[in-house]
Amino acid sequence: MPRSIQLSCIREAGRTREEACTDAMTLFQANSGQKLSVVDVLGGPGLRRRLAQLGILPGTHLQVVRHAAFGGPLLVDVDGRVIAIGKGIAAKVLVRPEE
Amino acid sequence: MTIALAGQPNAGKSTIFNQIAGVHAITANFPGSTVKYTRSQVRIGQETYTCVDLPGTYSLQALDLAEAEARSFLLSGEVDVIVNVVDASLLHRSLEFTLELLELGIPMVVCLNMMDEAARKGMRIDTEKLSELLGVPVVAAVARTGQGIRELFLETVRVGRMRARPSPPKYGRDVEEAVEAIRSSLEDKGATDPLPARFLAIKLLEADEQIGARIEGFSDDVRQLIARVRSRLEAKTGRPAEDQVRMERHGLATHIFEQVVKVARPFSDIRHKVDAIVTHPYLGYLVLALVVYGVFWIVFRAGGLVEGSIVGWFERLRGWVSAASGLPPLISTLVDGLIQGVSGGLGIVIPYLIPFLLALSLLEDVGYLPRAAVLMDAFFHRLGLHGKAIIPFVLGYGCNVPAVMSTRILDTERDRVVAAVLSTLIPCSARTAIVFGLLAFFVGPWAAVFIYALNIVVIAVLGRLASFILPATSPGLILEIPPYRWPSWRTLWLKSWLRIREFLTLAWPLLIAGSLVLSLIGYLRLQPMLDRFFSPLTELLGLPPVVGTTLVFGVLRKELSLLMLIQALGTAQLDTVLSGEQMLTFTVFVVFYFPCVSTFAALVREVGGRWAWLAAGLSLGLATGLAVAVRCLAGIVM
Ligand SMILES: Nc1nc2c(ncn2[C@@H]2O[C@H](COP(=O)(O)OP(=O)(O)OP(=O)(O)O)[C@@H](O)[C@H]2O)c(=O)[nH]1
Ligand SMILES: [Mg+2]
């Protein structure tokens, strides 16, 4: 791999963790169709890993496609891949609407 | 040389494997259709190679048993060259795993599969550029049609021969410093691990427990150094070290993706509109009901049509044989047994088995199962399971053995045990043949509906009970929903054929043999003795005494029970010898009692002997209790 693709840190310029969290909500509260970016994933390392594997980790973008009835899961679009996420887990993903 | 097919779930690994190996690994349109690796010898050019189809895994951090199997094979040192199968239409997401695989330092080729899907999405992928950026060959393919598969394997063999080790991706400065610090200290300590030290160092930063266990034997100062390096990195970046590594890998993937992909036109796909209905919060349930009704109707209609004519035809044949005078009684009894064995298989099992298996494979390949999982998730939660567990349950309608195996995709041991044990109660296609061939045909479709409904209620109650005894720990549903795919008729047929062939080559001969044995028992007048042995059960269930022996055959294969029933009662016109109530009782018992031997063996393998015996005992008790209850109720109602 050529060194040209060296990566700089993705840390958001000028925002600290606390600031980033002020306008955040949980994924469960987000409306369908809204473009969101992930602020943080609360919860144990197992859950964080499972979600990270599917591309849900701080800094990535996603969109809620649909909420299910009867307290069922949410459908979330992450880079073109649709993932169903139970509401308990969705309540542990902190997101922020994208400007 | 060993070639391993590795990639994220549902990327088409098994489809490629089937193309090259000519054997039939099961493929389906949901993540987790392969849960065990399959190995096969393949000929490429003049030589033979070993090719291994691995279960799909999202990353090298295995989070369930199927993923663990893939990971341990990739780390075993047995792999000479990796074919990383990537779903081109999901290139962005898939590249992270590709980057992770590059860190293993094993010669590798990337197969950009599903190029047809990518084209439909309007994606144009510059494969040359991708190959240049990744530093490994990239071959475009459409596994379903076989396009590009030959080139892929020629390239794979070439790369494998050259032993060309790919160079691993580079991270940002902070991470690189941390990796380097760990790597050099591992090397200073003379690490003898066959895996590259850089790979180990990165996994240690990512807090990988199993790699952590590998360096257990190292002195304390190495472990202290790792802890120090991690906390220094965390202080610099303000987030856990593993998050930092993953985020950078993700950023790197995005960076590559943006350089190689052009989206020609924003795509509008009618599949999204279809999905808006199929997974609609309320309409979705209507669709689900229609799908279930459709499968039921097709099986009932198609099967009934054939059963009626074939069975009548064979009955006439039997009439002629018994009328043919001059045959010694032994011969004529045996011929009669033979005809009944043949007619039972041809007339009663196959007509229902074929449409049923085809319909089930169709649902699997179109991609309906994950959608059903979404709809059912809320209800499965009440049973202490989540929607992913619908996959073993639906597969169970085909055959309980793959159902038990598929519990490997569940997250916790507790979920696996509960789902595996409960899924053996699902009426498999053999039991479906009984429900339709006996009950629906003679008593009416509503009797069959009753059996399925009763079955679901019983499973739900047991699931609920299980969640009191073994409290649920599973965090909730996380499941990828693949796009709808047009099924390939060839695959549908091949998949169903695998099961039908098993019936033809294993169960049918057994059936004919059993049929002959029963004739012989009748001829030697041993029947009364056997009947006395089973009389406690048959009397309890209110069935004719001869039915007792037939139930034993059901332990081998469930459909044998019905066919032996015909043999024991001496006619396929079962309504002349059994009342509707008796048929109902018999079916309830057969549907619930002991899983067949193959299922029992699968249970022992997957969840252990203790649970397998528990399941066997439970189902026997359940079957008896339910059959008696149904008998009493039917006596009142019918
Ligand atoms: N359109 C299209 N579909 C494909 C292609 N290759 C495979 N499929 C379909 O994709 C689905 C998944 O294929 P599998 O071969 O089961 O995928 P896998 O990678 O083995 O999946 P797991 O075992 O779950 O990891 C099946 O429905 C295939 O028919 C392709 O090139 N184009
Ligand atoms: Mg597979």
PDB file of all heavy atoms in Angstrom, chain B residues 10 12-15 25-28 32-35 53-56, ligand 2:
ATOM      1  N   ASN B  10     -22.940 -13.230   3.242  1.00  0.00           N
ATOM      2  CA  ASN B  10     -23.808 -12.997   2.091  1.00  0.00           C
ATOM      3  C   ASN B  10     -23.105 -12.348   0.898  1.00  0.00           C
ATOM      4  O   ASN B  10     -23.751 -11.743   0.059  1.00  0.00           O
ATOM      5  CB  ASN B  10     -25.010 -12.135   2.510  1.00  0.00           C
ATOM      6  CG  ASN B  10     -26.278 -12.573   1.823  1.00  0.00           C
ATOM      7  OD1 ASN B  10     -26.453 -13.763   1.558  1.00  0.00           O
ATOM      8  ND2 ASN B  10     -27.127 -11.644   1.513  1.00  0.00           N
ATOM      9  N   GLY B  12     -21.399 -14.064  -1.315  1.00  0.00           N
ATOM     10  CA  GLY B  12     -21.425 -15.007  -2.434  1.00  0.00           C
ATOM     11  C   GLY B  12     -20.291 -16.026  -2.402  1.00  0.00           C
ATOM     12  O   GLY B  12     -20.003 -16.655  -3.410  1.00  0.00           O
ATOM     13  N   LYS B  13     -19.686 -16.239  -1.226  1.00  0.00           N
ATOM     14  CA  LYS B  13     -18.584 -17.191  -1.117  1.00  0.00           C
ATOM     15  C   LYS B  13     -19.023 -18.603  -1.496  1.00  0.00           C
ATOM     16  O   LYS B  13     -18.347 -19.283  -2.267  1.00  0.00           O
ATOM     17  CB  LYS B  13     -18.031 -17.216   0.316  1.00  0.00           C
ATOM     18  CG  LYS B  13     -17.443 -15.900   0.758  1.00  0.00           C
ATOM     19  CD  LYS B  13     -17.080 -15.907   2.235  1.00  0.00           C
ATOM     20  CE  LYS B  13     -18.276 -16.022   3.142  1.00  0.00           C
ATOM     21  NZ  LYS B  13     -19.242 -14.914   3.031  1.00  0.00           N
ATOM     22  N   SER B  14     -20.140 -19.025  -0.944  1.00  0.00           N
ATOM     23  CA  SER B  14     -20.581 -20.390  -1.217  1.00  0.00           C
ATOM     24  C   SER B  14     -20.985 -20.559  -2.675  1.00  0.00           C
ATOM     25  O   SER B  14     -20.803 -21.634  -3.248  1.00  0.00           O
ATOM     26  CB  SER B  14     -21.748 -20.773  -0.308  1.00  0.00           C
ATOM     27  OG  SER B  14     -21.348 -20.669   1.035  1.00  0.00           O
ATOM     28  N   THR B  15     -21.502 -19.508  -3.277  1.00  0.00           N
ATOM     29  CA  THR B  15     -21.868 -19.581  -4.698  1.00  0.00           C
ATOM     30  C   THR B  15     -20.606 -19.779  -5.539  1.00  0.00           C
ATOM     31  O   THR B  15     -20.584 -20.600  -6.456  1.00  0.00           O
ATOM     32  CB  THR B  15     -22.604 -18.294  -5.118  1.00  0.00           C
ATOM     33  OG1 THR B  15     -23.654 -18.042  -4.191  1.00  0.00           O
ATOM     34  CG2 THR B  15     -23.189 -18.425  -6.497  1.00  0.00           C
ATOM     35  N   ALA B  25     -22.510 -26.658  -1.530  1.00  0.00           N
ATOM     36  CA  ALA B  25     -22.608 -25.988  -0.244  1.00  0.00           C
ATOM     37  C   ALA B  25     -23.908 -25.205  -0.313  1.00  0.00           C
ATOM     38  O   ALA B  25     -24.282 -24.711  -1.369  1.00  0.00           O
ATOM     39  CB  ALA B  25     -21.430 -25.039  -0.055  1.00  0.00           C
ATOM     40  N   ILE B  26     -24.590 -25.119   0.808  1.00  0.00           N
ATOM     41  CA  ILE B  26     -25.881 -24.423   0.806  1.00  0.00           C
ATOM     42  C   ILE B  26     -25.663 -22.919   0.680  1.00  0.00           C
ATOM     43  O   ILE B  26     -24.828 -22.333   1.361  1.00  0.00           O
ATOM     44  CB  ILE B  26     -26.647 -24.747   2.110  1.00  0.00           C
ATOM     45  CG1 ILE B  26     -27.087 -26.213   2.109  1.00  0.00           C
ATOM     46  CG2 ILE B  26     -27.847 -23.839   2.283  1.00  0.00           C
ATOM     47  CD1 ILE B  26     -28.142 -26.579   1.082  1.00  0.00           C
ATOM     48  N   THR B  27     -26.409 -22.308  -0.233  1.00  0.00           N
ATOM     49  CA  THR B  27     -26.350 -20.857  -0.373  1.00  0.00           C
ATOM     50  C   THR B  27     -27.743 -20.316  -0.088  1.00  0.00           C
ATOM     51  O   THR B  27     -28.724 -21.002  -0.298  1.00  0.00           O
ATOM     52  CB  THR B  27     -25.983 -20.441  -1.804  1.00  0.00           C
ATOM     53  OG1 THR B  27     -27.000 -20.907  -2.688  1.00  0.00           O
ATOM     54  CG2 THR B  27     -24.662 -21.008  -2.223  1.00  0.00           C
ATOM     55  N   ALA B  28     -27.820 -19.099   0.415  1.00  0.00           N
ATOM     56  CA  ALA B  28     -29.123 -18.494   0.647  1.00  0.00           C
ATOM     57  C   ALA B  28     -28.940 -17.011   0.832  1.00  0.00           C
ATOM     58  O   ALA B  28     -27.835 -16.556   1.168  1.00  0.00           O
ATOM     59  CB  ALA B  28     -29.792 -19.079   1.875  1.00  0.00           C
ATOM     60  N   GLY B  32     -25.210 -15.516   7.205  1.00  0.00           N
ATOM     61  CA  GLY B  32     -25.102 -16.667   8.099  1.00  0.00           C
ATOM     62  C   GLY B  32     -25.650 -17.940   7.498  1.00  0.00           C
ATOM     63  O   GLY B  32     -26.058 -18.836   8.219  1.00  0.00           O
ATOM     64  N   SER B  33     -25.664 -18.050   6.155  1.00  0.00           N
ATOM     65  CA  SER B  33     -26.176 -19.309   5.596  1.00  0.00           C
ATOM     66  C   SER B  33     -25.132 -20.413   5.702  1.00  0.00           C
ATOM     67  O   SER B  33     -25.471 -21.579   5.738  1.00  0.00           O
ATOM     68  CB  SER B  33     -26.646 -19.121   4.158  1.00  0.00           C
ATOM     69  OG  SER B  33     -25.646 -18.528   3.380  1.00  0.00           O
ATOM     70  N   THR B  34     -23.861 -20.061   5.764  1.00  0.00           N
ATOM     71  CA  THR B  34     -22.829 -21.065   6.013  1.00  0.00           C
ATOM     72  C   THR B  34     -22.382 -20.917   7.461  1.00  0.00           C
ATOM     73  O   THR B  34     -22.029 -19.823   7.881  1.00  0.00           O
ATOM     74  CB  THR B  34     -21.608 -20.842   5.103  1.00  0.00           C
ATOM     75  OG1 THR B  34     -22.056 -20.762   3.765  1.00  0.00           O
ATOM     76  CG2 THR B  34     -20.607 -21.959   5.247  1.00  0.00           C
ATOM     77  N   VAL B  35     -22.422 -22.001   8.233  1.00  0.00           N
ATOM     78  CA  VAL B  35     -21.989 -21.895   9.628  1.00  0.00           C
ATOM     79  C   VAL B  35     -20.820 -22.810   9.938  1.00  0.00           C
ATOM     80  O   VAL B  35     -20.255 -22.775  11.023  1.00  0.00           O
ATOM     81  CB  VAL B  35     -23.149 -22.178  10.602  1.00  0.00           C
ATOM     82  CG1 VAL B  35     -24.182 -21.065  10.553  1.00  0.00           C
ATOM     83  CG2 VAL B  35     -23.795 -23.507  10.334  1.00  0.00           C
ATOM     84  N   ASP B  53     -14.534 -23.222   1.845  1.00  0.00           N
ATOM     85  CA  ASP B  53     -15.578 -22.203   1.918  1.00  0.00           C
ATOM     86  C   ASP B  53     -15.813 -21.885   3.385  1.00  0.00           C
ATOM     87  O   ASP B  53     -16.235 -22.743   4.148  1.00  0.00           O
ATOM     88  CB  ASP B  53     -16.857 -22.748   1.274  1.00  0.00           C
ATOM     89  CG  ASP B  53     -18.021 -21.786   1.394  1.00  0.00           C
ATOM     90  OD1 ASP B  53     -17.795 -20.565   1.390  1.00  0.00           O
ATOM     91  OD2 ASP B  53     -19.173 -22.265   1.486  1.00  0.00           O
ATOM     92  N   LEU B  54     -15.500 -20.664   3.797  1.00  0.00           N
ATOM     93  CA  LEU B  54     -15.634 -20.314   5.222  1.00  0.00           C
ATOM     94  C   LEU B  54     -16.968 -19.626   5.486  1.00  0.00           C
ATOM     95  O   LEU B  54     -17.559 -19.030   4.592  1.00  0.00           O
ATOM     96  CB  LEU B  54     -14.501 -19.366   5.621  1.00  0.00           C
ATOM     97  CG  LEU B  54     -13.093 -19.936   5.550  1.00  0.00           C
ATOM     98  CD1 LEU B  54     -12.072 -18.854   5.893  1.00  0.00           C
ATOM     99  CD2 LEU B  54     -12.938 -21.109   6.495  1.00  0.00           C
ATOM    100  N   PRO B  55     -17.443 -19.694   6.726  1.00  0.00           N
ATOM    101  CA  PRO B  55     -18.622 -18.894   7.079  1.00  0.00           C
ATOM    102  C   PRO B  55     -18.271 -17.408   6.939  1.00  0.00           C
ATOM    103  O   PRO B  55     -17.110 -17.033   7.079  1.00  0.00           O
ATOM    104  CB  PRO B  55     -18.860 -19.240   8.553  1.00  0.00           C
ATOM    105  CG  PRO B  55     -18.113 -20.502   8.801  1.00  0.00           C
ATOM    106  CD  PRO B  55     -16.952 -20.498   7.851  1.00  0.00           C
ATOM    107  N   GLY B  56     -19.279 -16.604   6.669  1.00  0.00           N
ATOM    108  CA  GLY B  56     -19.022 -15.168   6.527  1.00  0.00           C
ATOM    109  C   GLY B  56     -18.690 -14.535   7.864  1.00  0.00           C
ATOM    110  O   GLY B  56     -19.156 -14.961   8.906  1.00  0.00           O
TER     111      GLY B  56
HETATM  112 MG    MG C   2     -21.915 -19.387   2.487  1.00  0.00          MG
END
